[in-house]
Amino acid sequence: RVVGAGVHRTGTNSLRTALNMLGYNCFHGYNLIDHYSQSNVSSFWSSTLTQDPSTINWDDFYAYNGYNAAVDNPTCNFWRYIFEYSTNCKVVLTLRDSEKWFKSIQKNIGPMWQEPMIKIPSFKLHYDIITKYGMGSSVYDDKDKEYCIKWFDNYNNECIEYFHKN
């Protein structure tokens, strides 16, 4: 099992492509939007908003959908829980220059999370998960560069530190 810890706009789609080429069946954040109408996808991800992530049966996510790898948001927000839950799980952290990441987020992601897009149920669910467990809504709403870059750097450093300690 593989879980990508890198947030969107850090090469997660390239990682998904590489993992699929290696024989994995990889979930990417856009699969949540594309497959939202499948009840197992929407119900599983909806449960992450109401349950303590440490109590979630992460096998359900992988088994119900036939995945053995997952990258991008919202999965990256749960990498630690998935890693600690799963045996033989590999974590891949994709990185990017902070300034370039912020510019890419503002150009490519920010516009998607505005009205009327977040009224679409699949986008709303994705947005709610990222707001609760990820960087919050600031990256999309306030366009606060300093906050976003600090969050991004801290997030990546926490992941790196976790594996240095363990």
Side-chain angles (χ1 to χ4, degrees):
R1 187 171 289 176
V2 176
V3 61
V7 299
H8 45 231
R9 308 309 303 165
T10 62
T12 59
N13 196 39
S14 297
L15 177 58
R16 178 198 62 83
T17 299
L19 289 169
N20 285 338
M21 290 173 70
L22 291 170
Y24 288 92
N25 183 20
C26 188
F27 174 89
H28 188 279
Y30 62 72
N31 294 126
L32 173 58
I33 294 166
D34 292 347
H35 301 141
Y36 178 81
S37 62
Q38 296 173 352
S39 62
N40 55 328
V41 174
S42 58
S43 64
F44 176 82
W45 286 109
S46 293
S47 75
T48 66
L49 291 169
T50 58
Q51 289 183 335
D52 175 345
S54 66
T55 66
I56 293 173
N57 180 346
W58 290 99
D59 287 336
D60 288 348
F61 164 68
Y62 286 93
Y64 290 161
N65 300 292
Y67 296 116
N68 53 10
V71 300
D72 198 64
N73 283 300
T75 314
C76 66
N77 298 298
F78 303 101
W79 68 265
R80 184 176 306 181
Y81 301 107
I82 297 169
F83 176 75
E84 292 174 355
Y85 181 87
S86 306
T87 57
N88 299 320
C89 181
K90 308 291 187 250
V91 177
V92 179
L93 175 63
T94 49
L95 298 171
R96 185 175 191 177
D97 173 81
S98 302
E99 293 280 336
K100 291 179 181 175
W101 171 80
F102 179 77
K103 288 178 184 173
S104 182
I105 286 289
Q106 292 303 301
K107 179 181 176 187
N108 298 293
I109 303 294
M112 285 193 325
W113 301 117
Q114 304 301 318
E115 299 284 343
M117 294 299 285
I118 61 170
K119 290 187 177 185
I120 300 169
S122 59
F123 278 86
K124 176 80 168 105
L125 176 58
H126 205 176
Y127 179 85
D128 289 347
I129 294 168
I130 293 169
T131 299
K132 182 173 183 176
Y133 294 107
M135 64 191 80
S137 63
S138 182
V139 73
Y140 311 118
D141 300 334
D142 303 331
K143 299 183 178 17
D144 182 342
K145 181 178 179 180
E146 183 179 327
Y147 167 84
C148 294
I149 288 177
K150 184 177 179 181
W151 177 89
F152 180 72
D153 290 338
N154 287 340
Y155 175 90
N156 292 327
N157 289 332
E158 283 179 23
C159 183
I160 292 165
E161 286 295 316
Y162 178 87
F163 287 102
H164 280 192
K165 290 178 183 175
N166 296 303

